[in-house]
Amino acid sequence: MPRKGLRPRDRRPLPPADYKYNSVLMSRFINKINFEGKRSTAEKLVFKAMDIIKEKTKSDPLEVFNTCIENVRPLLEVKARRVGGATYQVPVEVKPIRSTSVAMRWLLAAAQSRKGRPMAEKLAEEILLGSKKEGSAFKKREDTHKMAEANRAFAHFKW
């Protein structure tokens, strides 16, 4: 871990690709799941979920995962801006790196909110639903877009 923080406008590099699917996106997702430094446990969980997806769809699980992330990614979001004593919800475009990160966060939250089954099954189910444009994570994206669309009148406060 670096001792000094990043300087303004600096960016942390992307992690190396994971060993099984050779995908940086998958590696980022594993890092997002990583709990209390137990990366190997997070890897087992994600790879088990990918195996479940492969059994159910009979297709490449990496493609299903990529389409899921692409479907769940928000293009717009609202940010609070305080102008003259009033707070406005101003719609702004989301940068690609942030939108994929938000999509992963929503997928994990949706999988964790499901009850009664092992996490790998819940995660696989949510990824499958996201790839079909269904499920809680996709609904969250739609709600975010609706909110941004409803507050389009305040777009001129974007600076």
Side-chain angles (χ1 to χ4, degrees), residues 26 54 65 74 76 87 92 112 115 136 154:
M26 185 68 73
K54 189 172 186 175
F65 177 72
L76 294 170
T87 305
V92 292
Q112 287 168 347
K115 300 286 181 220
S136 304
F154 305 124

Side-chain angles (χ1 to χ4, degrees), residues 91-104:
V92 292
E93 290 183 17
V94 187
K95 292 181 181 175
I97 195 93
R98 174 169 161 71
S99 67
T100 54
S101 184
V102 168
M104 289 178 202

Side-chain angles (χ1 to χ4, degrees), residues 14-101:
L14 292 173
D18 73 303
Y19 64 89
K20 189 169 183 181
Y21 293 101
N22 200 23
S23 165
V24 174
L25 191 64
M26 185 68 73
S27 184
R28 284 181 61 200
F29 190 62
I30 290 168
N31 286 347
K32 191 70 77 178
I33 291 178
N34 200 347
F35 181 68
E36 293 181 353
K38 298 188 175 183
R39 185 184 170 92
S40 60
T41 307
E43 282 178 345
K44 285 178 198 168
L45 193 143
V46 171
F47 294 154
K48 192 169 187 181
M50 290 295 137
D51 291 340
I52 293 169
I53 289 170
K54 189 172 186 175
E55 285 174 22
K56 286 186 177 180
T57 62
K58 304 282 191 273
S59 64
D60 184 27
L62 188 62
E63 285 181 22
V64 175
F65 177 72
N66 288 339
T67 56
C68 173
I69 293 290
E70 215 39 56
N71 290 343
V72 175
R73 270 180 54 189
L75 304 174
L76 294 170
E77 67 181 351
V78 291
K79 287 198 173 187
R81 289 271 188 258
R82 194 160 169 83
V83 179
T87 305
Y88 297 108
Q89 296 288 330
V90 180
V92 292
E93 290 183 17
V94 187
K95 292 181 181 175
I97 195 93
R98 174 169 161 71
S99 67
T100 54
S101 184

